Amino acid sequence: MQNKARLVIIGGGIVGCSAAYHLVQMGWRDIVVLDQSQLYQTGGSTSHAPGLVFQTNPSRMMTAFARYTVDLFNRFHTSTLPTVYPVGGIEVAYTPERWAELQRKLGFAQAYGLEAYLLSPQEVRQKIPIIDETRIHGGYYVPTDCDVIAVNGAQAWAQAAQAGGAAEFHGDIPVTDIEFETGRGRVTAVVTPKGRIETEQVLLCTNIWSPILADKVGLKLPLMAVEHQYAVTTPLPELAGAQAEVEHPILRHQDRAMYFRQHRDAYGIGSYNHAPLLVDPHDLDGVHLAERPFTPEHFAEAWEATNELLPATRGAGLTRKFNGMFTFTVDGMPIMGEAPHLKGFWVAVGVWVTHSGGVGKAIAEWMTTGDTEVDVREANINRFYDFAKTKTYIQARCYTQYDEVYDIIHPFQQMENPRRVRVSPFYPRLQELGAVFFESAGWERPQWLEANRRLLNRYRVPSRSGWEARYWSPIQGAEHLATRERVALYDLTAFAKFDVRGPGALAFLNYLAANQIDRPTGRVVYTALLTRRGGIRADLTITRTGPDSFLVLTGGATGMLDLAWLRQHAPDDGSVQITDVSSQYCAVGLWGPDARHVLQSVTPEDVSDQAFPYFTAQAISIDTVPAYALRVSYVGELGWEIYTPMEYGPRLWDVLWQAGEPFGIIAAGFGAFDSLRLEKGYRSWGADIHTEYNPLEAGLDWAVRWDKGDFLGREALLSAREAGVRRRLCCMTLDDPQAVALGKEPILSGDRVLGYVTSANYGYSVGQWIVYGYLPVEFAAPGTRVEVVYFGRRQPATVRKEPLR
């Protein structure tokens, strides 16, 4: 084993091998891969996973990862080292609710370019003859789903990585420590029983074991190991004479939290149908096998459900049976990227075999170019706030992630535990008004307030029923209309707030931002931050508070991602200081036609349009409250974002509330916040815009200052402009007043899938359902007719000129 390397990958399972292969393909050399066990039967989930790859996922990123993984396994399949059984995959519906969910799932597949079909019960039986078709309403079939031999895939990818000497793989060599320089914050070596390897790059791919080494470098990974039951039946007479290991499509029975695959003349049964059995990763230190003894007491319901759906298993016994351990993260997504405090320490963990190929490709791109082809915001290691790294939170959320893994999850469904992790100083006031709270980044934020139910006597709000009425109230529409007509207070405390200052601050921010930041003190600038490929990495406001000081404001859900981006690109010479001041300040949005009257009545400063223009900021006093006010509005009405230290929060609320009473002020929630911004055509990062889209496509070219000099992503954006835009973010309205969409539905013209819905909500002021989505430029002209598919229903829609109001 060599004592120096450019990169050490820790973990020789499917993810480590995928990453090594892709890095070598991108030109990397001098890579060492180490595993604590033998290659390639490493003892992790790669070794025991039954290999089912179901590609469809509500997350476009996860679907893309899975689709690429299937392609990669197929590319490496040979007769001497088989890697894949291309048998397709079926999910069956036991209930009408699940059948409706499969129609929604078909929409995801169409939206993301995955071939899929709905099958009748009889068609399901034609593909899986041992199923009792009288028990099901139908099935969802993806022809390219498959069962893979993960160990063979890992070996094939590893052999390709080793070709030409680009990488070395060593088994039975555990890494016991990571050395790093605290001053420089950089990795220097890994330590093993067989010696040190000097390196400035480490990639951790050890899944359930990953927190053990991560903790040694001060990195908390919010994941747990969870036991998962798997058993194989004795031979079934109905499968006697089966020629192939797997002939039937792989099968999911999500109404009973189970899945199945053929093992020649027997059947394998995987069950989530038991209480989650969490395992602290630190209890696995020194344990090399991710399997535990089978617990029969947890399998009784699963066996009964198996016999019911697959009658051929009645009377059969069980042969191989075990509780296999694999990872669950607090939000169900992988954890990828470079540690925010330690240069050169990368991770790709919380990954299942299903997504291993795509994750390996993405982490290799990230390490090579600093960018990825697929937007990986949902997997970015920097997404977590500190509360999400506490043991209590990790245990609670991983428990729920396992428990709900096959549940039908509504896009607005809220987690139940833990709650009240973060509350603003306005929380008691909002409780008094009957706020219904939704959680975001740990914050409790009102979605609507029951005190405003009285407004339904004043405003007509269309009713909803069924799926689209869940986690919704007509009060949201009343709050929307009251904001447009009068004045409303919004709790904006969840916004992330960063103080950026120093002699290099202006040059630094001007390089990161596509817009011009060199404006006079007191100017507010909306801007995108771009990747090197020209993708939109963030959109936020930057306010110049002094010659060398700036206030950066962004959404709470993206706050840690944006903070990491700023810190990652900050100069090392100390000329720029970045401070997260989010917890120091609370904030309200005071918006509506009467907002100026309310504010002027409680401040001695002149807040007229001449004295306080749009996109400017000033320090003002509101009664006894020192505040900093920005005249900006995400709801598209006159008003201000107002910031003050946390301890002044209750006073700020009470003063504005009392001043607003003569004008009919209300407190409004984020349900109205979203519908208001959609009427104005304001983009939402993570939905309408992210790294796969550039400002030209997103209609944000007005916020790009080409002549200001160089900025990150400028060359790529120039190339995109010269090549011409091929797609545009378009505003559409549904023609039928009763039609609805909630997001991620496919947009069609005839049989051609044009794109998918990025944002959707009812426009209460315009009286139409609004959807946004990227369309090819030939379909982007106002008046163009398209269709939006909602639970299998094709709903006519029309492209509209924006904004609608």
Side-chain angles (χ1 to χ4, degrees):
M1 183 181 72
Q2 62 196 74
N3 58 16
K4 288 185 178 181
R6 179 184 180 186
L7 167 68
V8 175
I9 298 177
I10 306 173
I14 194 73
V15 179
C17 292
S18 174
Y21 164 73
H22 287 98
L23 285 163
V24 169
Q25 292 299 301
M26 293 175 193
W28 286 58
R29 298 293 182 267
D30 194 22
I31 298 172
V32 173
V33 182
L34 303 176
D35 197 276
Q36 63 181 355
S37 298
Q38 66 179 11
L39 302 175
Y40 294 91
Q41 195 83 28
T42 60
S45 58
T46 302
S47 303
H48 68 67
L52 291 79
V53 178
F54 290 94
Q55 299 167 83
T56 315
N57 193 292
S59 163
R60 184 171 177 270
M61 175 193 75
M62 295 295 270
T63 301
F65 283 167
R67 290 183 66 191
Y68 181 81
T69 299
V70 168
D71 177 68
L72 193 64
F73 271 104
N74 277 298
R75 273 191 275 150
F76 278 84
H77 179 82
T78 65
S79 58
T80 55
L81 191 63
T83 62
V84 63
Y85 302 108
V87 292
I90 294 177
E91 300 177 25
V92 294
Y94 241 47
T95 64
E97 293 78 14
R98 182 67 64 178
W99 181 239
E101 171 68 2
L102 295 186
Q103 295 176 59
R104 185 170 76 114
K105 188 163 283 188
L106 179 64
F108 293 147
Q110 291 176 307
Y112 304 154
L114 181 64
E115 182 185 5
Y117 307 93
L118 293 179
L119 304 179
S120 69
Q122 294 73 28
E123 289 172 322
V124 172
R125 182 175 173 83
Q126 288 174 5
K127 294 184 179 297
I128 305 178
I130 65 171
I131 203 168
D132 182 353
E133 80 277 15
T134 67
R135 298 281 184 176
I136 62 175
H137 292 263
Y140 168 77
Y141 174 55
V142 177
T144 56
D145 283 350
C146 58
D147 193 274
V148 302
I149 309 171
V151 171
N152 287 1
Q155 182 177 343
W157 301 344
Q159 288 173 346
Q162 293 175 85
E168 291 184 4
F169 282 68
H170 300 280
D172 298 315
I173 302 180
V175 174
T176 57
D177 204 358
I178 309 290
E179 294 182 359
F180 58 96
E181 294 181 6
T182 55
R184 293 175 59 208
R186 176 174 287 282
V187 166
T188 57
V190 301
V191 180
T192 80
K194 296 188 177 180
R196 296 169 67 255
I197 302 177
E198 293 183 14
T199 184
E200 290 194 352
Q201 298 277 345
V202 169
L203 174 59
L204 184 66
C205 299
T206 54
N207 266 351
I208 64 173
W209 290 278
S210 58
I212 298 170
L213 282 174
D215 276 1
K216 292 181 181 293
V217 300
L219 177 65
K220 295 293 182 182
L221 295 175
L223 59 80
M224 292 284 286
V226 187
E227 294 184 42
H228 173 65
Q229 293 195 299
Y230 194 78
V232 180
T233 68
T234 53
L236 307 178
E238 290 81 354
L239 297 178
Q243 298 300 306
E245 172 70 11
V246 185
E247 294 177 340
H248 295 175
I250 55 178
L251 172 65
R252 279 206 288 199
H253 182 17
Q254 292 183 294
D255 288 305
R256 295 295 182 270
M258 301 180 66
Y259 62 83
F260 307 91
R261 63 151 283 189
Q262 183 182 2
H263 289 271
R264 202 171 292 275
D265 60 355
Y267 244 62
I269 306 163
S271 173
Y272 295 92
N273 193 350
H274 56 83
L277 304 171
L278 303 184
V279 181
D280 189 325
H282 294 88
D283 293 340
L284 301 175
D285 197 1
V287 176
H288 292 186
L289 184 64
E291 295 182 20
R292 286 192 163 178
F294 190 71
T295 50
E297 65 272 21
H298 295 115
F299 199 69
E301 290 185 11
W303 185 238
E304 182 180 346
T306 300
N307 294 166
E308 185 178 76
L309 182 65
L310 305 173
T313 62
R314 296 171 185 168
L318 297 177
T319 55
R320 173 159 165 72
K321 46 188 177 179
F322 62 93
N323 287 9
M325 289 181 282
F326 64 142
T327 53
F328 271 81
T329 64
V330 294
D331 59 5
M333 296 293 177
I335 303 175
M336 301 168 57
E338 187 177 26
H341 69 293
L342 188 60
K343 291 185 183 297
F345 191 82
W346 294 78
V347 302
V349 298
V351 184
W352 296 0
V353 170
T354 301
H355 309 104
S356 56
V359 167
K361 177 177 181 287
I363 197 68
E365 291 170 340
W366 201 343
M367 296 175 69
T368 304
T369 68
D371 208 348
T372 57
E373 180 181 1
V374 174
D375 183 88
V376 293
R377 65 188 183 282
E378 295 168 300
N380 193 314
I381 190 174
N382 297 298
R383 68 190 185 270
F384 304 109
Y385 284 86
D386 286 344
F387 69 83
K389 304 172 189 176
T390 61
K391 187 172 184 179
T392 299
Y393 189 90
I394 294 170
Q395 289 178 333
R397 293 308 304 152
C398 290
Y399 184 99
T400 301
Q401 287 295 334
Y402 185 93
D403 191 48
E404 296 180 347
V405 67
Y406 278 176
D407 285 2
I408 299 173
I409 304 295
H410 192 277
F412 299 138
Q413 183 170 324
Q414 295 296 293
M415 71 177 187
E416 298 178 1
N417 180 45
R419 291 297 294 267
R420 296 191 67 198
V421 175
R422 307 170 83 184
V423 297
S424 81
F426 315 126
Y427 185 74
R429 305 294 192 270
L430 295 167
Q431 282 183 306
E432 293 168 3
L433 295 170
V436 175
F437 291 100
F438 279 21
E439 180 274 342
S440 177
W443 289 101
E444 296 293 337
R445 304 196 307 176
Q447 189 72 356
W448 70 84
L449 297 98
E450 286 295 326
N452 293 326
R453 187 168 291 277
R454 58 184 171 77
L455 296 175
L456 294 174
N457 297 323
R458 179 183 179 88
Y459 302 110
R460 290 191 60 189
V461 176
S463 62
R464 298 187 194 179
S465 61
W467 179 259
E468 56 270 18
R470 297 185 189 181
Y471 310 100
W472 173 84
S473 169
I475 297 171
Q476 296 173 211
E479 292 173 356
H480 172 121
L481 294 168
T483 303
R484 288 271 187 252
E485 184 179 291
R486 297 181 176 182
V487 61
L489 266 179
Y490 290 80
D491 180 2
L492 305 182
T493 303
F495 282 10
K497 317 158 192 85
F498 313 131
D499 179 85
V500 181
R501 62 180 58 234
L506 174 59
F508 163 63
L509 290 175
N510 222 14
Y511 176 70
L512 282 191
N515 208 335
Q516 174 62 263
I517 307 304
D518 191 4
R519 310 285 181 97
T521 297
R523 282 295 301 273
V524 181
V525 178
Y526 167 82
T527 187
L529 310 184
L530 307 182
T531 67
R532 295 193 182 280
R533 296 187 185 191
I536 303 171
R537 177 56 191 76
D539 80 320
L540 40 76
T541 62
I542 299 176
T543 302
R544 193 168 194 172
T545 56
D548 296 318
S549 60
F550 299 84
L551 176 63
V552 178
L553 298 170
T554 188
T558 63
M560 290 298 94
L561 296 174
D562 296 346
L563 179 61
W565 187 257
L566 292 172
R567 287 177 169 166
Q568 175 188 338
H569 292 89
D572 295 329
D573 59 6
S575 63
V576 177
Q577 296 86 48
I578 303 170
T579 307
D580 181 3
V581 296
S582 300
S583 295
Q584 297 179 30
Y585 296 95
C586 59
V588 296
L590 178 70
W591 291 314
D594 290 324
R596 177 175 285 118
H597 299 305
V598 174
L599 185 58
Q600 190 64 82
S601 70
V602 290
T603 180
E605 282 78 27
D606 184 357
V607 295
S608 66
D609 190 57
Q610 294 75 23
F612 206 144
Y614 191 51
F615 272 130
T616 66
Q618 297 180 25
I620 64 174
S621 58
I622 299 174
D623 190 70
T624 59
V625 177
Y628 193 69
L630 284 70
R631 194 176 154 204
V632 294
S633 170
Y634 195 56
V635 304
E637 291 293 339
L638 170 69
W640 287 263
E641 293 177 7
I642 302 171
Y643 296 83
T644 192
M646 285 284 189
E647 66 268 23
Y648 292 100
R651 179 68 174 170
L652 173 65
W653 185 276
D654 292 345
V655 167
L656 291 173
W657 188 261
Q658 184 176 2
E661 285 181 336
F663 301 95
I665 195 170
I666 66 163
F670 279 81
F673 189 78
D674 183 66
S675 57
L676 286 161
R677 69 95 184 170
L678 209 56
E679 285 186 340
K680 287 293 184 178
Y682 295 154
R683 281 53 170 148
S684 173
W685 194 87
D688 308 307
I689 51 177
H690 51 67
T691 61
E692 293 181 37
Y693 306 118
N694 67 50
L696 308 179
E697 299 167 323
L700 296 176
D701 45 324
W702 61 269
V704 176
R705 294 296 178 266
W706 302 95
D707 58 353
K708 71 166 186 170
D710 192 24
F711 58 87
L712 185 61
R714 184 176 186 273
E715 290 303 315
L717 204 56
L718 280 171
S719 297
R721 186 174 68 171
E722 292 170 4
V725 173
R726 297 179 181 177
R727 60 185 178 183
R728 293 190 186 278
L729 181 62
C730 295
C731 173
M732 292 154 275
T733 54
L734 302 182
D735 296 353
D736 183 352
Q738 304 302 314
V740 297
L742 296 181
K744 302 183 179 181
E745 295 87 358
I747 304 170
L748 278 67
S749 176
D751 293 330
R752 178 182 173 186
V753 178
L754 305 177
Y756 63 92
V757 175
T758 59
S759 285
N761 210 327
Y762 189 78
Y764 299 96
S765 302
V766 300
Q768 291 180 294
W769 202 285
I770 306 167
V771 299
Y772 270 76
Y774 286 85
L775 302 179
V777 290
E778 61 267 29
F779 290 87
T784 303
R785 304 298 301 281
V786 296
E787 291 180 303
V788 174
V789 182
Y790 181 73
F791 283 90
R793 302 195 303 270
R794 296 174 73 113
Q795 305 177 135
T798 304
V799 178
R800 300 285 300 278
K801 182 180 179 180
E802 58 172 340
L804 295 175
R805 181 178 172 85

